[in-house]
Amino acid sequence: MVPGDAVMMRLDVVMRRFAMVGFVVFGAGGLVAVVLALFSGSVSGVVFSLLSVAFAGLILIALRRSASSLVISPVGFSVPGVFEVRWTEVTRVRVYQEKRRVGRWMHWWHYRLDWTGSGPEVLLEDGEYVYALGHLGGGARLYAALTRFAPAGVVEFAE
């Protein structure tokens, strides 16, 4: 990558992995159930199986629509169509890790990007601008991209 290129990072990788599992389970399971139901002659089995395949299709449509990327460039960082923050508006950027629960027993590391300065009012939370990144291991790549493109002394990393 040439210095000056923009870096794009997926923001929805973890949830997309869960959704892909659901897509495979409902899609493949539904297709197998359709074949078995057709051979057994069960009308209710065919209907249930087709509903399972249709649900897999809805998951796939949701996956395509949920795609979002954080773009980090020499100009600033943005989520296209949602917000844009220019480096000239930023006084400090901080990246830190926190553990987020998913259900009762599961959790994943969640990376948070805080910045102070001006920017979109929509993202103001407790006096700071925040954008959460749910991605295992994404914080290291995010931090590397921020330190590469941000002005010196603007980015700090905290655990």
Side-chain angles (χ1 to χ4, degrees), residues 4 72-77 84-89 149:
I72 304 171
S73 70
V75 176
F77 54 96
E84 180 179 344
V85 176
R86 298 189 174 275
W87 291 124
T88 54
E89 302 171 336
F149 290 112

Side-chain angles (χ1 to χ4, degrees), residues 127-150:
E128 288 197 1
Y129 294 96
V130 293
Y131 198 81
L133 307 169
H135 180 18
L136 296 165
R141 285 192 294 274
L142 172 65
Y143 178 65
L146 285 170
T147 54
R148 179 177 174 192
F149 290 112

Side-chain angles (χ1 to χ4, degrees), residues 50-156:
L50 289 175
L51 286 174
S52 179
V53 172
F55 186 64
L58 289 175
I59 291 174
L60 188 61
I61 290 169
L63 280 176
R64 295 192 69 191
R65 292 200 176 181
S66 70
S68 182
S69 297
L70 178 69
V71 179
I72 304 171
S73 70
V75 176
F77 54 96
S78 66
V79 172
V82 179
F83 74 88
E84 180 179 344
V85 176
R86 298 189 174 275
W87 291 124
T88 54
E89 302 171 336
V90 174
T91 55
R92 181 182 60 87
V93 176
R94 184 167 58 121
V95 183
Y96 64 95
Q97 237 183 11
E98 60 185 18
K99 194 182 282 189
R100 285 282 175 100
R101 294 193 67 76
V102 182
R104 190 169 178 175
W105 293 283
M106 293 171 43
H107 70 269
W108 74 70
W109 287 107
H110 200 76
Y111 293 91
R112 195 166 199 158
L113 172 64
D114 287 4
W115 70 94
T116 53
S118 60
E121 292 298 321
V122 175
L123 300 171
L124 191 62
E125 177 184 300
D126 294 331
E128 288 197 1
Y129 294 96
V130 293
Y131 198 81
L133 307 169
H135 180 18
L136 296 165
R141 285 192 294 274
L142 172 65
Y143 178 65
L146 285 170
T147 54
R148 179 177 174 192
F149 290 112
V154 170
V155 181
E156 59 186 77

